[in-house]
Amino acid sequence: MTDSPPRLPALPRIWLVAGLAALSLITVTAASLWHLRSEALTSQARELSVLSLALTDELGRGLESVEIGLQAVRLELRIGELLPEMGEIAGQRYPHDLKLPLASQLWVIDRRGKLLAASSPALAPDPTSFVPGLQTLNDTDTAISLPFPNMANGEPSVALAVRYNDHEGALGGWLIAALPVEALRGAFSKAAPTSDARMAVFRADGVRLAGTLSHLPTLGIAETLQHPGPERGHDAQLLGDGRERLIAERALPRFGLRLVLTRDVESALEPWRDVAWLASSGVMLMLAGLAAAAHRIARAEQRRQDSQAALQNQLSRTNRLESLGTLAGGVAHDFNNVLAAVLGYAEMARQSAVDDSRQARQLDQVLRAALRGKSLVERILSFSRSGARSVTVFEVQPIIDEVLGLLAASLRHGVVLESRFEAPGVRLRGDTTQVFEAVMNLCTNAMQAMPDGGTLTVATARQAVREAKTVSHGQLEPGEYLALSVADDGAGIAANVMDHLFEPFFTTRREHAGTGLGLAVVHGVVAEFGGAIDVQSTPGAGARFTLYLPESHDALAPDATASTVAPTGRGQTLMIVDDEPALVELAEELLAELGYEPIGYTDPKAALEALRSEPERYDALLTDEVMPALTGTQLTEALRSFAPQLPVLLISGYGGPQLAARAAAVGVTRVLAKPLQRGELAQVLDQLLSAAPAA
C-alpha cells in the first residue's frame, strides 16, 4: 500500500488555481496580441507591396510612352522628314504634337555634343550625367540623367535619351526628352496610405531621382540594379537603419530604376497599440475581477469549512446519541416483556382482590409501580425513536394549551408564564403524546433553571426554510416548519455542557433531583418528527430551546371516543403468537377472562402451519414483532396468501414509525405498544372483530 501524496489545504489551493488562471490569461492575451501585431505588420506590408506594384506600373507606362515618342522622332529623322535646324522646331512639333504628355522639353544633339535643335531656349542636361553613358547606348537602350534644374519652367527634371543614326547607319547623335521629377512619383501623393509613407525612385548607380528618401535603405538594391538578374524584394520586409521601417521595393529593369516605398513601423502599429491598450485594460479588469472572485470564494470556502466543522461536531453528537438510543431501545424492549407480565398479572390479581383489603392495596402499589415503569420505558423509547406510536394529523395549539394549563397550577413562586402564539391552526403529523411530552419536558426544564424566579416564555411561529440549514442540534431540509420555542431567564448553559444536553441520564442537578431523561426525550421526539433543535444560550442570560417540526397540510384525523366499559368477547377464537412463554400464558388467561377462546404459540412457524391448515377456525391473530425464525410482519405477509381478511393485531414495544410503515405494507390491521393494559386490549379487540367480515 503506497502513501497518497499530500494535499494542499483548500484555501491555498484556491489561490493557486486563481494564480494559474491569471497566468494563463496573461499568456493567452500576450500571445494573441503578438499574433495581432504580426498580422497588423503583414497587412500593412501587403498594402505597401500592392501600392508599390501599382506605382511601378504607372511609372513604367509613363516612361515607355516617352520612349516610344523618342523612337518616333528618331524614325522621322532617319527617313528625312525632319531636317532640324536651330530653332525651327522650337515649340512647333515637340513635344506635344508627338504625344509626349510627360515630356516638357526636347533636344537633338549630334555625336560631338553639339545642339542641333531644341523645343525651347533652355540648356540641355550635361551629356555625362546619363546612365548608361551616351557613348555606349545601342539602338534599344534608354539612358536616364541626373536631376537638373529646367530653366524653361523652373521645375527639377530628369532626362531620357535614345540614340539615332545618320543616313549611313553610323551614330548621328541623341534625342533627349526632359520630364518633371514629380512625374516620376505619379499618383503617390494621392494614393499614399498615411502621412508617414515615403517614396523614392533610384537609378542604377544608387542616385535618388525623385522622392523623400535620401539613400537606399538596403545595401542590396544598388547591387541589384547594377547587376539586374532576377527581380527580388517585391514583398515587404521588416528592416532597420536607425528607425524600424516596412519596405516595399519594385524594379524597372527596362530603365534601370527601382521604386522604394517605406512606412515607419511605429506609425503602422498605431491601431494595434490602441487595441493592445484596450486588451491590457480588459485583462487588468479581468484579473481584478478574478482576484475579487478568488477572495470571495476563499471567504466562502472558509465559511464552508467552519460550517463543515460545526456539522461534523453536530454529526458526532448525533451519532453518539443514536448509539445511546439504540442501546436504550434494546434494553427497553427486553424490559417491556418483563413489565408486560408484571402489569398483566397484577391487573388480573387486582380484579380478584376484595376492594379495600390489604391485598388490594398492595396490588394497587404494584400497579402504580408498573405504570411508572411503563412511563419510564416510554420515555426511553421516545429518546431512542423506536417506540411503537400512533401517527395522526393534529393541531398543535390545543396540546400546548393543555401543557400550559397544567403548568399554571403548579408554577413556583416568582415564575411568570408568558406566551406568544403566531402560528394559529398549524398542524403536525405524528403522535400527540410525544408533542405533549416534549413541551412539558422543556417547560419543566426551564422552570428548574430558575430556582429564584423569572420569566418562562413559550412561543410559536411559522418558518419557511428555503435551503438546507444547520442548527445547533440537527439539520433542516427546505420546507415549512413550526418553530416552537421555550425560553427562560436562568443561569444559562455552560459550553462544556452543551454537547451533552440531550444524552440520556445526563443532568447538572444535584442527586435525586431528576433522571436526566427529559431533554433526551425531547431529542427523540423531534428526531422522530423529522425536525431539529436549536439551542441558544449565554451564561448568566438564560437559554432558548427552539424545536423545528415539519408542518403538515393534510386533513385532521377524526376524534376517537373511548368507552369507559371494557367490552367482552362472544367466544371468538384468537391465536396468540409470542416467543415469551410467560406472555403467551398471560394473554391466554386474560383473553379467556374477556370472553374469548385463546390458542397460544411460542413458535411462529408452527403458528403459520396451524393457520394454513385451518384458516377458517380463527377470528383474529395477535402476534409479537421481534421473534426468532419469523417476525410478526413476516408471519402476516405469509398468511395473506390464504387468509387475506383475517384481522391481525401486532403488539410490540419496539419499532416506531418504521414498524408502522412495514406493518401497513404487509396488511397488519392494527399496531399496539407494549405493555398493554386490560381495558385498552379489550377496546381494540372489540373494534377489530366488529369491523371484520363474518367468517
Side-chain angles (χ1 to χ4, degrees):
M1 180 176 179
T2 58
D3 295 335
S4 58
R7 298 182 62 187
L8 288 173
L11 293 181
R13 191 163 59 248
I14 290 171
W15 286 110
L16 177 61
V17 171
L20 291 175
L23 181 61
S24 300
L25 180 62
I26 293 172
T27 302
V28 169
T29 304
S32 300
L33 288 176
W34 184 257
H35 178 71
L36 286 176
R37 183 181 186 275
S38 300
E39 287 293 322
L41 289 176
T42 301
S43 175
Q44 293 295 329
R46 189 180 298 113
E47 181 180 347
L48 206 63
S49 178
V50 171
L51 179 60
S52 69
L53 179 63
L55 292 175
T56 303
D57 182 66
E58 179 189 17
L59 176 60
R61 284 187 284 106
L63 294 178
E64 285 175 0
S65 66
V66 175
E67 183 182 36
I68 291 172
L70 290 176
Q71 290 172 355
V73 174
R74 181 173 61 186
L75 180 60
E76 292 182 358
L77 286 174
R78 181 177 298 171
I79 63 177
E81 290 187 5
L82 293 179
L83 298 174
E85 294 181 7
M86 183 64 67
E88 288 185 359
I89 59 174
Q92 300 302 315
R93 295 180 57 83
Y94 308 117
H96 303 292
D97 291 349
L98 292 177
K99 308 299 183 186
L100 302 178
L102 292 182
S104 60
Q105 301 289 324
L106 181 63
W107 297 273
V108 181
I109 301 175
D110 65 11
R111 60 177 175 271
R112 292 182 296 276
K114 180 181 179 182
L115 180 64
L116 300 180
S119 63
S120 75
L123 296 178
D126 183 1
T128 62
S129 67
F130 287 86
V131 171
L134 295 181
Q135 297 294 335
T136 64
L137 280 181
N138 56 36
D139 291 342
T140 60
D141 289 340
T142 302
I144 298 181
S145 72
L146 291 174
F148 64 93
N150 192 331
M151 297 302 178
N153 52 24
E155 294 180 349
S157 300
V158 293
L160 268 69
V162 296
R163 168 180 172 168
Y164 73 90
N165 297 326
D166 56 17
H167 297 292
E168 288 81 17
L171 174 63
W174 298 273
L175 299 176
I176 300 174
L179 60 155
V181 168
E182 190 63 26
L184 298 179
R185 301 185 63 198
F188 173 76
S189 58
K190 296 181 179 179
T194 56
S195 60
D196 63 286
R198 298 290 184 268
M199 173 192 173
V201 178
F202 292 91
R203 202 169 62 173
D205 57 356
V207 175
R208 176 172 57 87
L209 302 180
T212 56
L213 292 174
S214 60
H215 61 279
L216 288 174
T218 60
L219 295 176
I221 293 178
E223 296 175 359
T224 301
L225 292 172
Q226 292 169 3
H227 309 283
E231 248 184 273
R232 68 180 181 87
H234 286 196
D235 295 329
Q237 305 169 44
L238 184 61
L239 304 171
D241 62 337
R243 295 190 65 179
E244 198 172 20
R245 291 178 294 176
L246 288 170
I247 301 176
E249 305 172 34
R250 297 286 173 177
L252 275 173
R254 176 73 184 83
F255 301 100
L257 300 178
R258 181 166 290 268
L259 184 144
V260 179
L261 287 179
T262 68
R263 278 205 64 190
D264 287 342
V265 170
E266 291 299 317
S267 299
L269 289 178
E270 190 67 33
W272 173 83
R273 276 195 294 273
D274 294 339
V275 173
W277 184 87
L278 290 175
S280 301
S281 301
V283 168
M284 294 303 295
L285 289 175
M286 292 177 68
L287 291 177
L290 182 62
H295 178 65
R296 294 192 65 176
I297 292 174
R299 290 182 59 189
E301 178 65 18
Q302 185 63 55
R303 289 195 298 269
R304 188 194 67 79
Q305 290 181 358
D306 295 341
S307 176
Q308 186 73 16
L311 184 60
Q312 189 64 34
N313 292 334
Q314 188 271 331
L315 182 62
S316 177
R317 289 196 298 268
T318 300
N319 290 338
R320 188 165 61 248
L321 292 175
E322 289 287 347
S323 300
L324 290 171
T326 302
L327 175 63
V331 172
H333 172 259
D334 292 337
F335 185 61
N336 247 337
N337 289 334
V338 177
L339 194 60
V342 173
L343 187 59
Y345 282 113
E347 280 192 322
M348 288 191 293
R350 181 63 182 83
Q351 285 289 117
S352 305
V354 179
D355 291 341
D356 296 329
S357 65
R358 180 180 179 185
Q359 183 184 15
R361 290 193 298 273
Q362 291 172 344
L363 289 172
D364 286 340
Q365 290 296 331
V366 172
L367 285 172
R368 278 194 287 271
L371 290 174
R372 284 198 300 273
K374 178 183 178 182
S375 175
L376 179 62
V377 169
E378 288 177 349
R379 297 175 74 185
I380 294 174
L381 290 174
S382 294
F383 163 74
S384 67
R385 303 171 58 190
S386 56
R389 298 283 183 175
S390 61
V391 178
T392 59
V393 178
F394 59 92
E395 284 193 7
V396 180
Q397 193 60 51
I399 298 174
I400 299 175
D401 292 338
E402 184 180 354
V403 173
L404 297 185
L406 292 174
L407 290 176
S410 58
L411 284 177
R412 185 184 292 112
H413 177 71
V415 176
V416 178
L417 181 61
E418 291 185 357
S419 60
R420 185 173 64 254
F421 302 132
E422 299 175 359
V426 69
R427 302 172 187 175
L428 302 179
R429 173 179 286 277
D431 187 356
T432 56
T433 304
Q434 286 184 306
V435 176
F436 181 92
E437 290 175 351
V439 178
M440 178 62 78
N441 282 325
L442 283 180
C443 291
T444 302
N445 189 72
M447 286 193 297
Q448 291 173 345
M450 300 183 293
D452 299 326
T455 301
L456 169 63
T457 305
V458 180
T460 60
R462 283 186 171 91
Q463 183 163 336
V465 176
R466 303 302 179 193
E467 56 185 21
K469 174 183 177 183
T470 300
V471 293
S472 67
H473 292 78
Q475 186 168 7
L476 296 175
E477 298 300 326
E480 296 179 348
Y481 292 85
L482 167 69
L484 193 161
S485 63
V486 177
D488 63 70
D489 294 337
I493 303 171
N496 62 335
V497 174
M498 187 69 75
D499 287 345
H500 305 283
L501 274 179
F502 298 103
E503 292 181 4
F505 310 112
F506 175 81
T507 179
T508 58
R509 304 188 186 98
R510 64 183 183 278
E511 191 177 359
H512 307 304
T515 63
L517 279 173
L519 291 180
V521 168
V522 173
H523 181 274
V525 168
V526 173
E528 190 155 334
F529 271 79
I533 306 174
D534 188 33
V535 182
Q536 301 294 328
S537 177
T538 302
R544 178 183 298 275
F545 289 74
T546 302
L547 311 185
Y548 291 93
L549 304 174
E551 184 178 354
S552 174
H553 297 285
D554 296 337
L556 292 173
D559 292 335
T561 57
S563 173
T564 58
V565 179
T568 57
R570 298 179 299 280
Q572 295 98 324
T573 302
L574 307 179
M575 177 181 283
I576 302 112
V577 184
D578 198 308
D579 61 326
E580 289 285 342
L583 294 182
V584 173
E585 184 180 348
L586 170 63
E588 288 179 332
E589 189 172 348
L590 179 59
L591 292 174
E593 285 187 2
L594 290 173
Y596 298 99
E597 182 184 344
I599 300 175
Y601 288 88
T602 56
D603 183 0
K605 288 187 175 181
L608 180 60
E609 290 303 320
L611 284 167
R612 193 187 305 276
S613 61
E614 295 182 285
E616 70 281 351
R617 178 182 177 186
Y618 302 97
D619 295 287
L621 169 65
L622 285 73
T623 178
D624 188 21
E625 167 62 9
V626 182
M627 298 182 295
L630 281 178
T631 64
T633 51
Q634 290 172 340
L635 175 61
T636 304
E637 185 177 16
L639 69 87
R640 284 309 178 206
S641 62
F642 57 84
Q645 302 298 325
L646 183 67
V648 176
L649 178 61
L650 185 66
I651 304 171
S652 179
Y654 189 69
Q658 294 84 2
L659 174 62
R662 194 164 63 249
V666 299
V668 171
T669 313
R670 188 77 178 269
V671 179
L672 286 183
K674 286 183 180 181
L676 292 176
Q677 291 182 267
R678 184 174 184 274
E680 181 183 8
L681 179 60
Q683 289 284 349
V684 172
L685 283 175
D686 182 64
Q687 294 171 6
L688 248 62
L689 295 173
S690 298

